[in-house]
Amino acid sequence: MHLSNPTPFPANRPRRLRRDAFTRNLVRETLLTPHDFIYPVFVHEGSSLRVPVPSMPGVERLSLDLLLPVAEECVRLGIPYLALFPSIEAEKKTPDGREALNPEGLIPRVVRALKKEFPDLGVMTDVALDPYTSHGQDGVLDDTGYILNDETVEILVGQALTHAQAGVDMVAPSDMMDGRIGAVRDALEAHGHIHTRIMAYSAKYASAFYGPFRDAVGSSANLGRSNKDVYQMDPANTDEALREVALDLAEGADMVMVKPGMPYLDVLRRVKDEFKVPTFAYQVSGEYAMLKAAAQNGWLDHDKVMMEALLAFKRAGADGILTYFAIEAARMLKK
C-alpha cells in the first residue's frame, strides 16, 4: 500500500487502532520521557533567597542553596541537564560585560557546587553577554550602537573557557555572532577541554517571545526600546537557518538548537531532516507564559496543553527540549 493509493474503507478502518488505550499505546509513534528535557533555571547571589518572576508563573530566581534541592529533584526525576542563566547585580554590569570572565563569578561558582553535589547531573551554561552588559545587548557596541562581531567573540571565548575550567559539561553560545562556535571550539581544544560539549543556538530568531526571559535575567530594562535584529535571525527566513546550522556544525558544534520552539516547528523539522544531528528546541519564556496565563484563566487545561506542546517538539524532530515545564512534566510522566 502506498500513501497515494490507500486501501479504501471498509477494508481499512483507521479507528480500529484508536479503539482502546492498550492499542493506542502499542502503535504510538512518538515517545516523550524526562530524559528529553533540559531545565532552564535562573540563579542570583545571596542565601535563602527566591524571587518570583512575575511574567513567568511558577518560575523563580534562586540563590545557590535553594537551587541545590531543585537539582536533586531533577536527578530523582531523570531530567539529565540543568541550563544556568544568571541574574547579576546592576553594579557589576558594564558596557563590555567583563564580569562574564570572572572565574569567581556567579555562574562558575554555581557550576562547581552543582558538579560537586551532583556529578551525574549535566550542567549547561549560556555563553552570551546580555546578562552582563549595561545596555542589555549580547555584545560590545561601537560608537553608533552597532554590535561588534569579532570583539564580542573574543570575550565569549573567554567566558566559555571560564565555564569549562569550572567543570561545566556543555556550553551553549546563544549570542548569534558569526564564527563564535569555531573560536570557542578551538579555545577549548587548545586548553585541553576536549570533552566540553557545545550546543549552538544555531537558528535563534529575533523573536517577540523572549520578553519574560529578559525580565528574569534583568536585561529588559537595560535593553529598553532597542532590538537585536542585526544579529538574531529574521523570523521570515528558513533557508537561512539551514545555512547557520551548517556553519555551526562545520565549526565544531556537537548539537544545534532552534529557538523559539512552537512558532518555528517547520524550521525544526527542516533542520532535523537535513542534518540528522542532535537537534534541540527551546520552548521559550513567552510560550511558557502564554500557556500558564491561559490555564490560570481557565481557558485551557494546563496539564494537557503542557504535554501536548512538549510532544509536538518531539514529533517535529527534536531530540530534546529546553523547557520551564521540565519538572512539572517529568512528575506527570513518572506517575
Side-chain angles (χ1 to χ4, degrees):
M1 181 183 72
H2 191 272
L3 288 177
S4 63
N5 186 28
T7 302
F9 175 89
N12 187 0
R13 291 179 180 265
R15 287 184 57 192
R16 278 195 290 260
L17 299 181
R18 305 174 197 145
R19 180 171 173 79
D20 42 61
F22 47 81
T23 304
R24 292 193 298 272
N25 290 339
L26 180 67
V27 300
R28 183 165 293 124
E29 299 174 29
T30 305
L31 183 65
L32 185 71
T33 79
H35 292 169
D36 296 318
F37 302 145
I38 296 174
Y39 187 36
V41 293
F42 300 102
V43 294
H44 58 188
E45 298 284 4
S47 178
S48 300
L49 187 61
R50 65 174 76 241
V51 178
V53 180
S55 53
M56 300 179 70
V59 173
E60 300 171 314
R61 293 189 289 267
L62 300 173
S63 53
L64 173 58
D65 57 322
L66 297 182
L67 177 62
L68 293 177
V70 174
E72 185 175 19
E73 183 170 17
C74 287
V75 172
R76 181 176 59 81
L77 290 170
I79 297 169
Y81 261 88
L82 283 182
L84 304 180
F85 296 93
S87 176
I88 70 168
E89 302 95 324
E91 57 268 22
K92 291 184 178 179
K93 298 187 179 188
T94 58
D96 61 4
R98 286 283 168 176
E99 176 62 19
L101 305 180
N102 183 359
E104 296 304 319
L106 176 61
I107 291 299
R109 285 186 284 110
V110 172
V111 168
R112 288 194 291 267
L114 286 171
K115 294 309 298 183
K116 179 181 178 181
E117 294 293 325
F118 308 104
D120 294 327
L121 176 66
V123 179
M124 167 178 154
T125 52
D126 183 43
V127 175
L129 299 185
D130 52 327
Y132 301 93
T133 56
S134 52
H135 44 71
Q137 294 284 0
D138 292 57
V140 181
L141 309 183
D142 68 10
D143 292 340
T144 70
Y146 185 76
I147 291 80
L148 296 168
N149 192 91
D150 297 4
E151 292 82 350
T152 297
V153 169
E154 183 179 352
I155 302 173
L156 295 173
V157 167
Q159 183 183 22
L161 283 174
T162 299
H163 295 176
Q165 289 157 3
V168 79
D169 300 290
M170 181 154 58
V171 292
S174 66
D175 54 285
M176 290 300 288
M177 298 297 121
D178 294 339
R180 89 276 201 212
I181 300 300
V184 168
R185 174 57 73 206
D186 288 347
L188 291 173
E189 291 287 323
H191 288 80
H193 300 294
I194 63 172
H195 302 300
T196 305
R197 281 128 282 189
I198 298 177
M199 179 186 287
Y201 285 60
S202 296
K204 181 178 181 180
Y205 286 85
S207 171
F209 283 90
Y210 303 148
F213 174 91
R214 291 171 182 165
D215 292 340
V217 299
S219 66
S220 181
N222 293 335
L223 187 63
R225 298 179 65 85
S226 299
N227 60 58
K228 302 187 178 185
D229 293 352
V230 300
Y231 50 100
Q232 294 178 357
M233 282 183 52
D234 185 338
N237 297 349
T238 62
D239 289 345
E240 183 184 12
L242 300 185
R243 294 195 296 272
E244 287 278 11
V245 170
L247 285 167
D248 286 350
L249 291 172
E251 291 176 18
D254 300 291
M255 314 174 194
V256 297
M257 184 202 297
V258 174
K259 181 183 180 184
M262 191 69 74
Y264 296 87
L265 292 181
D266 60 321
V267 179
L268 174 61
R269 181 75 267 170
R270 288 194 71 188
V271 169
K272 186 62 177 179
D273 287 346
E274 179 72 20
F275 297 100
K276 296 178 175 58
V277 298
T279 303
F280 291 76
Y282 198 144
Q283 186 185 43
V284 299
S285 58
E287 299 174 64
Y288 172 88
M290 287 193 305
L291 295 181
K292 281 289 185 181
Q296 287 180 347
N297 278 283
W299 299 334
L300 293 173
D301 182 309
H302 176 278
D303 291 350
K304 288 184 178 179
V305 297
M306 171 180 70
M307 301 306 287
E308 185 177 344
L310 294 172
L311 188 66
F313 294 120
K314 287 298 299 293
R315 193 183 65 242
D319 296 288
I321 310 144
L322 288 85
T323 175
Y324 304 98
F325 285 118
I327 284 183
E328 291 177 275
R331 288 172 182 164
M332 285 194 64
L333 291 167
K334 288 287 188 180
K335 288 182 180 178

